[in-house]
């Protein structure tokens, strides 16, 4: 069994929050939503080279409902009706959804991406990574669904995860973020917090749950090798 032990060494809180997954047909739990948004923010705060204008992401229930509705269609391919939304997909067999693993799988593509040239190595995928670290993307919502049959995939009994993003990343001829000292180019109305630009003012309605342990995160650990039945794709 693959384990999520490498990330949670750095994420004791998230580890505590992530409850083992059980049974099919399960929606994302509150703690998994929290882990998803906080892991995005953790990765975003630690990009290399550093980002001068990386915004903090917040969970968005409307995006989550949109993602969930598409996950329920059980299609291994992007939602053609996603409009002006970014989208990352992840699928895993047997063992149930694993939010840190999905995040690692997406972030893992960073090794193929050259920020200064804005290029991805030939034959590799970088689009999940560039969406995760797209500096201007501020809202995320994800949904998962258990698919006995996932259209476009031969394996059966798959947990599909769909995340949608606003504003969308992966805009042609743009870099995911501006390199520079963290927070040195936050937009007006934002302040710096944990190397991310966070919107000033009161919490937005329906807004975030914040993990704030005062813990300072170390560098990211080596990425885990994935079992063959884990798939992440962009098409
Ligand atoms: C990234 O691309 C730039 C410009 O083409 C090149 O000079 C640099 O060597 C590349 N970096 C890596 C790590 O390949």
């Amino acid at each position: 069994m693959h384990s999520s032990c490498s990330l949670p060494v750095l994420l004791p809180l998230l580890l505590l929050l992530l409850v083992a997954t059980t049974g099919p047909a399960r929606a994302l739990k509150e703690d998994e939503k929290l882990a998803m948004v906080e892991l995005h923010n953790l990765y975003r705060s630690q990009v290399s080279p550093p980002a001068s204008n990386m915004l903090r992401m917040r969970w968005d229930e409307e995006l989550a409902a949109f993602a969930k509705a598409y996950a329920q269609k059980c299609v291994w391919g992007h939602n053609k009706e996603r409009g002006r939304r970014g989208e990352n997909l992840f699928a895993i067999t047997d063992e149930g959804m694993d939010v840190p693993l999905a995040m690692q799988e997406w972030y893992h593509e960073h090794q193929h991406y050259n920020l200064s040239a804005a290029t991805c190595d030939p034959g590799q995928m970088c689009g999940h990574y560039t969406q995760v670290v797209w500096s201007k993307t501020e809202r995320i919502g994800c949904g998962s669904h258990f698919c006995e049959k996932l259209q476009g995939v031969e394996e059966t009994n798959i947990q599909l995860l769909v995340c949608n993003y606003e504003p969308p990343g992966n805009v042609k001829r743009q870099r995911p973020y501006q390199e520079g000292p963290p927070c040195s180019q936050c937009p007006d109305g934002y302040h710096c917090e944990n190397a991310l630009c966070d919107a000033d003012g009161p919490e937005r309605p329906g807004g975030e749950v914040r993990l704030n342990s005062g813990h300072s995160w170390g560098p990211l650990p080596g990425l885990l090798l994935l079992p063959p039945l884990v798939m992440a794709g962009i098409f």
Side-chain angles (χ1 to χ4, degrees), residues 114-119:
N114 182 328
L115 182 73
S116 54
T119 53

Side-chain angles (χ1 to χ4, degrees), residues 24 50 70-71 73 97 109 136 160 166 192-193 203 208 226 230:
Y70 184 66
K73 294 187 175 167
M97 193 38 65
E109 295 170 359
K136 290 175 182 151
L160 176 64
E166 282 176 343
C192 187
E193 197 176 305
E203 308 283 84
E208 82 200 303
L226 297 167
V230 175

Side-chain angles (χ1 to χ4, degrees), residues 162-174:
V162 178
C163 290
N164 287 114
Y165 300 87
E166 282 176 343
N170 298 345
V171 179
K172 280 201 181 74
R173 286 180 292 280
Q174 284 187 22

Side-chain angles (χ1 to χ4, degrees), residues 19 96 148:
V19 177
E148 284 180 15

Side-chain angles (χ1 to χ4, degrees), residues 36-112:
M36 185 58 95
V37 71
E38 288 304 326
L39 282 169
H40 272 79
N41 284 328
L42 176 67
Y43 281 114
R44 289 164 73 81
S45 69
Q46 298 193 343
V47 288
S48 175
S52 63
N53 63 340
M54 189 70 78
L55 304 188
R56 173 175 295 279
M57 273 188 187
R58 290 164 195 256
W59 188 261
D60 185 295
E61 284 296 343
E62 278 177 43
L63 278 176
F66 185 85
K68 171 74 179 170
Y70 184 66
Q72 285 169 335
K73 294 187 175 167
C74 291
V75 175
W76 185 238
H78 280 297
N79 181 357
K80 294 189 179 66
E81 275 127 50
R82 68 186 181 278
R84 300 266 315 143
R85 297 176 186 89
E87 187 173 82
N88 276 353
L89 304 177
F90 175 80
I92 186 168
T93 55
D94 303 330
E95 296 176 59
M97 193 38 65
D98 183 329
V99 165
L101 183 64
M103 283 305 303
Q104 287 178 58
E105 175 76 348
W106 292 341
Y107 191 80
H108 193 65
E109 295 170 359
H110 80 276
Q111 61 184 326
H112 303 300

